[in-house]
Amino acid sequence: MKKYHRFKLRTDRLDENGACPVIMVITKNRKRQFISLKISVCPEHWDSDNERLIILDNCSDKTEKAENQKRKEVNAKIDDYANRAMVIEYDYERENNTHWTPSQYKEKIKRQPAKGKVEPFLIEHIQTLKETHRYGTANTFYCLHRKLLKFSPDLCNLSFNDVDVNYVERFNQWMEKDGISSNTREEHIKRLRAIYNRAIKNRQAYRENYPFGRDGFQVYALHRETEKRYLPTEFLEKLKNQKSDNPQNEYARLLFLFSYYCYGISFKDMAVLKTSNIVKYNSGEYIIYKRLKTQEKKSSPISIKITDNIRQTLKAITDHKKNIEDYLLPIVTMHKDNFSTLSRHIEIILRQHNKNLQRLADEFDIKMKLTSYVARHTAAMQLQENHIPEHVISQMLGHKKLETTKVYLDSLDTSVIDEAVKVL
């Protein structure tokens, strides 16, 4: 989404204290409109790159703390205008309206109060995620936005105060009636909770009205309803030992098995593996990578020992289809200039891969929905059924939280994992 607004100082209008007014500038086709925010700040306190006041770190002096608080309040007011702008620009894009003028934009800004509103805050968060190249996470919040728009036609007027326990329960019931699985409903509500937590942190919502937690809506209560997402042993053995006559189905089967043998590696992580991810140790060769969804956080890399099953499956995949550049697998089919286009490219391929997996399931008479994610669940269940400790499974899957494996370790001797993987 193109950004048409920015915040800057009017350095040509210093007041008697040496402060400059902050203005909002709307620009389109070289035409501009200015909006006074009725705020004046000292130029040395202004960060022109971030278009906000500089917040002091580690304030100990009372005067500094008071000054810091004032700066945060000014930034909150600027954020308020930014939220309104994001909604207006999103609406223009959604309506495919390219004929608006900066003066019309300015009038909409004035008529649209936004502090404490859910939609502008959510849209701004999505934009921030995109700007920091977290496209997968941005897409999950975009999906939440679409669901909320269907559930609440007046979403533009919905404040965080309106999002109480009753609202969340009605949202869950509406999704259930719409045929959305408990797992997907859980993910949408977790995203809504994350936005609410962020709004509290940014003083756009009150902690006293929090609809989640011990006395609120229990998100993980939905988890108990989740249908099985792992392959029973009989179907797993069929996938391991029976080839498909259909080339696309056979390719999907091999990718599924590669994911399974590699501790349930996700499709996106699998797609971006490079030959450089293979590292030789004294005890053998390993695939070492960090999950895309956690690589910006302090998470340990995952080490996968290349077993005979992995080596044979990898050879069968590359014999079936040639890979490009230095990708380990032939999933990415063309060169992409940046991670954004690469991510979208992989998402398109994943949708087709899941369709091929479902056709494979029909061919093999597997009575369940077969997706790439089933490989991850199946690997976890096989490890658990063979009495592999949960903390070992946790590291093998790259889990950070306790919901799936209960224990998360920062490090583990690879020899323990090397023994564990023999059950796959």
Side-chain angles (χ1 to χ4, degrees):
M1 184 171 69
K2 187 175 179 180
K3 182 179 175 182
Y4 293 92
H5 70 278
R6 58 174 303 213
F7 300 96
K8 61 179 294 186
L9 298 186
R10 286 292 304 266
T11 54
D12 58 330
R13 294 192 178 180
L14 290 171
D15 65 17
E16 57 185 12
N17 297 317
C20 303
V22 181
I23 61 171
M24 182 176 182
V25 184
I26 303 161
T27 307
K28 183 189 178 190
N29 297 333
R30 297 185 180 180
K31 294 182 179 180
R32 295 188 296 176
Q33 283 286 324
F34 304 97
I35 299 175
S36 173
L37 306 192
K38 297 180 180 179
I39 302 169
S40 292
V41 302
C42 294
E44 61 266 27
H45 299 159
W46 182 254
D47 182 346
S48 57
D49 291 331
N50 292 315
E51 301 177 6
R52 298 295 188 276
L53 282 173
I54 299 168
I55 302 300
L56 304 174
D57 294 326
N58 303 319
C59 296
S60 56
D61 182 73
K62 286 185 178 180
T63 304
E64 286 185 344
K65 286 183 178 180
E67 172 64 23
N68 224 27
Q69 182 60 33
K70 289 179 182 179
R71 295 187 192 186
K72 288 180 180 179
E73 290 172 1
V74 169
N75 283 348
K77 188 169 183 179
I78 298 173
D79 289 341
D80 182 24
Y81 276 91
N83 284 340
R84 293 188 234 178
M86 293 295 293
V87 171
I88 291 170
E89 291 169 11
Y90 178 81
D91 286 342
Y92 282 145
E93 185 176 274
R94 182 171 57 186
E95 296 164 3
N96 199 24
N97 180 357
T98 59
H99 303 294
W100 59 269
T101 65
S103 59
Q104 291 172 333
Y105 189 124
K106 181 177 180 178
E107 287 304 312
K108 291 192 77 170
I109 282 279
K110 290 181 176 180
R111 294 196 305 268
Q112 187 179 12
K115 188 173 182 179
K117 297 296 177 67
V118 174
E119 186 175 34
F121 194 85
L122 178 56
I123 291 172
E124 184 183 34
H125 182 56
I126 293 169
Q127 188 67 18
T128 300
L129 290 170
K130 288 180 178 179
E131 289 171 356
T132 54
H133 308 296
R134 298 168 65 187
Y135 300 101
T137 306
N139 187 57
T140 63
F141 282 97
Y142 174 71
C143 291
L144 169 64
H145 184 217
R146 289 174 59 188
K147 284 288 178 287
L148 289 174
L149 277 172
K150 289 183 179 180
F151 174 64
S152 304
D154 61 341
L155 182 63
C156 61
N157 296 317
L158 185 75
S159 71
F160 282 103
N161 287 342
D162 299 322
V163 182
D164 54 13
V165 176
N166 181 50
Y167 178 91
V168 180
E169 287 177 346
R170 287 189 293 108
F171 180 45
N172 177 52
Q173 292 166 4
W174 174 83
M175 288 192 291
E176 186 175 13
K177 289 179 182 178
D178 201 39
I180 298 173
S181 70
S182 59
N183 229 36
T184 304
R185 297 200 314 271
E186 179 185 346
E187 289 304 311
H188 284 317
I189 293 176
K190 282 165 66 177
R191 300 286 177 254
L192 180 59
R193 183 183 63 184
I195 280 294
Y196 206 110
N197 289 336
R198 194 176 186 87
I200 291 174
K201 186 176 180 180
N202 286 270
R203 300 184 179 183
Q204 296 290 313
Y206 297 102
R207 191 171 298 279
E208 292 78 10
N209 300 330
Y210 193 61
F212 305 99
R214 181 181 300 175
D215 300 321
F217 186 89
Q218 300 295 317
V219 178
Y220 290 108
L222 295 172
H223 193 68
R224 293 194 294 268
E225 306 169 14
T226 306
E227 61 181 330
K228 287 191 300 184
R229 299 183 69 183
Y230 60 90
L231 276 176
T233 302
E234 58 176 304
F235 293 145
L236 177 61
E237 291 304 313
K238 184 178 287 189
L239 280 184
K240 285 182 178 181
N241 301 314
Q242 183 175 329
K243 293 184 178 181
S244 171
D245 295 328
N246 182 297
Q248 289 184 320
N249 293 358
E250 176 61 12
Y251 178 56
R253 182 185 76 91
L254 292 170
L255 289 179
F256 183 95
L257 288 176
F258 184 85
S259 172
Y260 169 77
Y261 289 133
C262 290
Y263 318 162
I265 183 174
S266 75
F267 187 85
K268 288 187 177 181
D269 289 330
M270 190 165 68
V272 298
L273 286 177
K274 300 291 186 72
T275 54
S276 57
N277 287 107
I278 296 180
V279 178
K280 290 185 178 181
Y281 287 148
N282 292 334
S283 53
E285 287 187 314
Y286 290 80
I287 297 172
I288 299 180
Y289 75 102
K290 290 190 72 172
R291 298 193 68 193
L292 287 176
K293 66 188 297 184
T294 59
Q295 61 180 310
E296 294 183 2
K297 302 175 183 178
K298 292 182 180 179
S299 59
S300 300
I302 298 173
S303 300
I304 302 170
K305 184 169 186 180
I306 300 180
T307 61
D308 289 339
N309 283 330
I310 292 176
R311 189 172 284 105
Q312 291 167 11
T313 306
L314 179 59
K315 184 179 185 306
I317 291 171
T318 51
D319 285 347
H320 189 90
K321 188 177 179 180
K322 297 302 177 185
N323 47 345
I324 67 167
E325 299 177 356
D326 58 342
Y327 285 104
L328 185 63
L329 297 165
I331 295 175
V332 175
T333 59
M334 59 186 72
H335 174 74
K336 296 296 178 182
D337 294 329
N338 56 62
F339 186 77
S340 174
T341 54
L342 176 62
S343 181
R344 288 194 290 271
H345 176 64
I346 294 172
E347 285 175 5
I348 293 170
I349 295 171
L350 174 56
R351 285 196 290 271
Q352 184 59 51
H353 175 59
N354 282 330
K355 290 179 182 178
N356 293 340
L357 281 176
Q358 194 53 53
R359 284 195 282 265
L360 177 68
D362 295 339
E363 178 186 349
F364 283 12
D365 199 28
I366 296 175
K367 305 297 184 182
M368 65 175 291
K369 185 176 181 180
L370 193 60
T371 68
S372 64
Y373 205 68
V374 173
R376 186 168 177 80
H377 274 252
T378 304
M381 287 304 299
Q382 287 293 316
L383 292 165
Q384 185 178 36
E385 289 176 2
N386 283 274
H387 311 293
I388 303 301
E390 287 179 338
H391 65 274
V392 177
I393 302 174
S394 179
Q395 185 170 355
M396 294 174 76
L397 297 180
H399 285 154
K400 184 180 178 182
K401 295 186 178 180
L402 207 57
E403 279 76 30
T404 306
T405 53
K406 296 184 180 178
V407 178
Y408 176 78
L409 298 182
D410 289 331
S411 60
L412 188 70
D413 187 343
T414 58
S415 63
V416 179
I417 291 180
D418 294 349
E419 289 299 312
V421 76
K422 291 179 180 179
V423 308
L424 296 179

